[in-house]
Amino acid sequence: MIIRVGIIGCGSIAKFRHAPEYHENPNVEIAGFFDYNRERAEALAEIYGGKVYSDYLELIEDETIDAISDCSTNETHHIVTSAALKNNKSVLCEKPIAITVEKAEIILEAEKTSKGILMIGHNQRLTSAHKQAKAILQSGELGKIITFSTTFGHKGPEYWGADKSKDTWFFNKSRSVLGVAADLGIHKVDLLRFLLEDEIIEVSAMAESLNKRDSNDALIDVPDNMVCLFKTQKGNIGTATFSWSFYGDEDNSTKIYCEKGTMMIYDDPDYQIIINKMGQERICYQLEEIQSNDNQTSTGIINEFIDAIIHNRQPIVTGEDGRMALKIIEASILAAETKKTVKVVLS
């Protein structure tokens, strides 16, 4: 079975992740590209084949296309993805699902009547270390979870995005909206929900623009650093740190502290999981390194999306998962702005 895919938005996420991973999948034909910067779409079409469309709706309405990767910028996800679902396309929507929970609801409404499936691009669930970590936690080997900490930081989107400049859209509040929280933080709150099998119900946070400046040398108007304190439904507490100003090595680590020991994930250069059991036993797992901006290995997200389409099943990251992650991020931003603890409404 061959799935014909169109990619909307041809920036770095499409160039380095979606397009090459589709190309490697034997069940995919890349059928078309659209980007407001036509040269970007043409550059990818030259490599992978497919048609360059003059309008995103033209691509979405093409009846020969089965699925869409929505790699557009944050503020248009609810427009592009809902339109594709209404045209019965399956959609892989990059994170965040939308810039507000209200706009995410537009997507979920469109999904209800669509013949296509919806998946959100939270790829951290798919790394071998995170899947192994979840299996270990489920086994009960470490006992109950007590607390946790997670971090995601790198040197910033101006080093990674298609426009490698201080005027990147990530720094533009009208387009990025949530800054580092929606770029990096949302990955980690989705990962916490996945690993802990628990819901975050209360948030305290601090978020600031500490370092990043635009081309006018003014501090950007979205947060470039954020620290959160979370409480879960089961009563655990933990922290999360997100940063665009880690100018050394990228940090994408998670630590989970349990009754019978501690699990360190992506915290060591040689071992992707290290378990310390009460200081008496040390177990090391050597798996693949996590994908980073400097280490462009396969995320597995494309293969999961295509397999879900072929087998007509729910993907590992649903639209509802995307909405819940965004709810936590929205609550975190509100907590930082009001300097109050904010409850996350689960319904």
Side-chain angles (χ1 to χ4, degrees), residues 264-282:
M264 322 288 271
I265 311 166
Y266 294 120
D267 191 54
D268 183 275
D270 299 317
Y271 300 102
Q272 285 66 51
I273 301 176
I274 296 177
I275 292 175
N276 287 293
K277 291 189 175 180
M278 301 290 285
Q280 299 174 357
E281 183 181 4
R282 181 180 169 93

Side-chain angles (χ1 to χ4, degrees), residues 17-35:
R17 298 189 182 173
H18 288 244
E21 290 186 38
Y22 280 128
H23 181 69
E24 291 297 318
N25 190 301
N27 295 307
V28 172
E29 177 188 348
I30 302 179
F33 299 93
F34 169 77
D35 193 285

Side-chain angles (χ1 to χ4, degrees), residues 112-343:
K112 289 178 181 178
T113 56
S114 180
K115 295 179 182 177
I117 69 163
L118 171 64
M119 181 173 174
I120 310 302
H122 291 296
N123 55 41
Q124 296 218 358
R125 294 184 179 213
L126 290 161
T127 75
S128 61
H130 288 148
K131 289 190 288 187
Q132 181 70 45
K134 180 166 182 169
I136 294 167
L137 292 170
Q138 287 178 324
S139 74
E141 177 183 341
L142 294 176
K144 291 182 180 179
I145 296 166
I146 301 169
T147 186
F148 54 87
S149 66
T150 191
T151 298
F152 195 177
H154 58 50
K155 59 189 175 182
E158 74 272 36
Y159 293 91
W160 149 254
D163 294 323
K164 293 179 174 59
S165 78
K166 292 183 177 182
D167 292 322
T168 173
W169 69 266
F170 286 94
F171 294 170
N172 184 327
K173 188 172 180 63
S174 66
R175 303 183 70 190
S176 166
V177 181
L178 302 169
V180 71
D183 182 35
L184 305 184
I186 204 158
H187 271 306
K188 303 307 278 193
V189 297
D190 179 73
L191 177 65
L192 288 173
R193 293 184 68 241
F194 175 72
L195 290 178
L196 305 180
E197 296 186 308
D198 199 357
E199 295 292 352
I200 293 166
I201 60 170
E202 289 185 24
V203 183
S204 299
M206 291 186 180
E208 300 287 346
S209 177
L210 298 175
N211 178 259
K212 296 298 183 183
R213 293 179 179 272
D214 61 23
S215 57
N216 295 317
D217 204 36
L219 284 170
I220 62 174
D221 56 4
V222 293
D224 59 18
N225 278 269
M226 188 170 195
V227 179
C228 301
L229 175 64
F230 296 139
K231 181 178 179 180
T232 74
Q233 197 169 37
K234 293 177 183 176
N236 308 122
I237 58 171
T239 60
T241 301
F242 324 127
S243 178
W244 278 339
S245 59
F246 281 17
Y247 294 117
D249 292 334
E250 184 170 315
D251 187 345
N252 206 334
S253 61
T254 299
K255 303 172 185 177
I256 301 177
Y257 304 91
C258 304
E259 289 176 316
K260 300 178 183 178
T262 298
M263 178 187 293
M264 322 288 271
I265 311 166
Y266 294 120
D267 191 54
D268 183 275
D270 299 317
Y271 300 102
Q272 285 66 51
I273 301 176
I274 296 177
I275 292 175
N276 287 293
K277 291 189 175 180
M278 301 290 285
Q280 299 174 357
E281 183 181 4
R282 181 180 169 93
I283 306 168
C284 300
Y285 293 79
Q286 196 164 36
L287 306 161
E288 99 285 356
E289 293 182 11
I290 195 168
Q291 188 184 66
S292 69
N293 291 348
D294 298 323
N295 179 39
Q296 293 297 325
T297 57
S298 175
T299 62
I301 203 86
I302 298 301
N303 291 344
E304 167 66 14
F305 177 53
I306 296 301
D307 188 75
I309 294 172
I310 289 172
H311 294 98
N312 192 30
R313 64 170 175 82
Q314 192 175 70
I316 194 171
V317 193
T318 65
E320 180 58 24
D321 288 322
R323 185 180 78 107
M324 283 306 304
L326 183 57
K327 272 194 169 189
I328 297 162
I329 290 300
E330 270 198 347
S332 300
I333 291 290
L334 180 60
E337 290 174 346
T338 61
K339 303 189 186 324
K340 295 180 179 179
T341 298
V342 174
K343 293 186 181 296

Side-chain angles (χ1 to χ4, degrees), residues 26-47:
N27 295 307
V28 172
E29 177 188 348
I30 302 179
F33 299 93
F34 169 77
D35 193 285
Y36 287 108
N37 182 333
R38 188 178 176 90
E39 290 181 359
R40 289 181 190 163
E42 289 173 343
L44 290 181
E46 187 173 344
I47 298 170

Side-chain angles (χ1 to χ4, degrees), residues 59-123:
L59 191 160
I60 285 171
E61 292 169 358
D62 186 336
E63 294 182 356
T64 70
I65 288 181
D66 305 302
I68 299 291
S69 258
D70 182 358
C71 298
S72 65
T73 51
N74 293 358
E75 83 282 9
T76 59
H77 285 176
H78 69 288
I79 299 169
V80 172
T81 291
S82 61
L85 288 168
K86 288 175 182 177
N87 278 271
N88 295 313
K89 311 298 186 192
S90 290
V91 184
L92 173 56
C93 177
E94 262 304 328
K95 54 76 195 170
I97 186 174
I99 54 173
T100 66
V101 172
E102 184 180 17
K103 286 181 170 28
E105 300 286 358
I106 295 171
I107 293 174
L108 297 184
E109 280 299 312
E111 181 190 17
K112 289 178 181 178
T113 56
S114 180
K115 295 179 182 177
I117 69 163
L118 171 64
M119 181 173 174
I120 310 302
H122 291 296
N123 55 41

